[in-house]
Amino acid sequence: AQSVTQLDSQVPVFEEAPVELRCNYSSSVSVYLFWYVQYPNQGLQLLLKYLSGSTLVKGINGFEAEFNKSQTSFHLRKPSVHISDTAEYFCAVSDYAGGTSYGKLTFGQGTILTVHP
Amino acid sequence: EAGVVQSPRYKIIEKKQPVAFWCNPISGHNTLYWYLQNLGQGPELLIRYENEEAVDDSQLPKDRFSAERLKGVDSTLKIQPAELGDSAVYLCASSSGDWSYNEQFFGPGTRLTVL
């Protein structure tokens, strides 16, 4: 079974400051990793994903994440946030080793990012 | 291109009443998912369809929940009877190709309140 832990339930930051949203996962098999964003009253939207190759992944809206296999982490970062980045962010994993859980997305509990002016 | 469409957006019912949610995925997407999202939690998969076949319904509470995707396009999720604990947001998503790594596109969800 796989699981995802988002270490911060809420992260308040000021506009133009850097931010890091932390995500750790647990899985007995190889995984794909994702970050989704959910704006109020909207569905989830994919920010970025790691499948293979370079461990630094760039996504939309200036976000990037780094896959660290030894630490089983996939932290999301942005060097300078905007008011419009205020939303809830979800880390998710999907395994590809076969079996009944193959391809199933398991989400973390979410981190609410609030950007203050 | 239209996104995933869900209706209704909001639904308030009394406990023990039936309720149904409808989802129309992105055109051409053969994989459809229903998720449950409780307040302050991430989405949890209820059921996944490949075309009209339910290939993963292990998390669907089958005593009261049912789902169908008869023609492999739109889908309906039903709860009968609803309980207070069913109050949550029900999300529908769709994807194409290999669903292990392809992006899932989510609808806006249906917020259910059971009184």
Side-chain angles (χ1 to χ4, degrees):
Chain A
Q2 54 200 26
S3 65
V4 178
T5 301
Q6 292 183 240
L7 299 164
D8 305 291
S9 59
Q10 297 190 50
V11 174
V13 294
F14 287 107
E15 194 173 17
E16 297 184 6
V19 71
E20 178 180 80
L21 305 184
R22 297 179 293 169
C23 172
N24 286 96
Y25 69 92
S26 173
S27 177
S28 58
V29 299
S30 298
V31 296
Y32 298 130
L33 295 156
F34 306 80
W35 275 99
Y36 280 82
V37 60
Q38 187 175 32
Y39 299 102
N41 297 316
Q42 295 185 28
L44 282 73
Q45 177 185 0
L46 182 67
L47 273 179
L48 49 79
K49 61 183 177 183
Y50 172 79
L51 304 181
S52 64
S54 173
T55 56
L56 183 63
V57 180
K58 294 188 182 298
I60 62 172
N61 302 337
F63 283 93
E64 63 181 30
E66 186 158 18
F67 170 55
N68 188 319
K69 187 175 183 180
S70 62
Q71 297 186 6
T72 60
S73 68
F74 191 54
H75 300 332
L76 181 70
R77 302 185 182 98
K78 187 170 183 178
S80 176
V81 294
H82 303 288
I83 297 288
S84 59
D85 292 323
T86 294
E88 189 161 17
Y89 293 79
F90 292 94
C91 181
V93 299
S94 172
D95 79 66
Y96 57 92
T100 57
S101 67
Y102 174 55
K104 177 179 176 179
L105 264 185
T106 299
F107 287 85
Q109 68 270 43
T111 298
I112 296 173
L113 174 65
T114 304
V115 182
H116 298 284
Chain B
E1 177 182 283
V4 176
V5 178
Q6 290 188 248
S7 68
R9 291 293 312 277
Y10 304 90
K11 188 73 176 179
I12 301 174
I13 61 172
E14 294 190 347
K15 63 180 180 182
K16 299 185 181 179
Q17 293 300 305
V19 64
F21 315 124
W22 178 79
C23 171
N24 195 32
I26 291 173
S27 178
H29 282 191
N30 58 324
T31 306
L32 183 146
Y33 315 77
W34 282 103
Y35 287 89
L36 166 69
Q37 185 177 20
N38 286 304
L39 186 65
Q41 300 294 319
E44 299 173 32
L45 181 68
L46 288 172
I47 189 169
R48 174 169 62 86
Y49 282 94
E50 291 291 330
N51 299 305
E52 65 275 10
E53 182 183 0
V55 295
D56 183 359
D57 63 354
S58 57
Q59 301 302 310
L60 189 72
K62 298 181 183 63
D63 56 336
R64 298 184 300 107
F65 286 65
S66 64
E68 61 183 16
R69 193 185 185 199
L70 295 177
K71 296 183 179 179
V73 180
D74 59 340
S75 175
T76 302
L77 177 69
K78 298 178 181 177
I79 308 175
Q80 183 170 10
E83 297 179 351
L84 295 176
D86 297 331
S87 294
V89 176
Y90 292 82
L91 295 167
C92 180
S94 69
S95 68
S96 63
D98 188 333
W99 34 266
S100 63
Y101 60 81
N102 272 354
E103 177 178 357
Q104 293 185 26
F105 293 83
F106 285 79
T110 296
R111 183 176 297 276
L112 173 66
T113 302
V114 182
L115 303 176

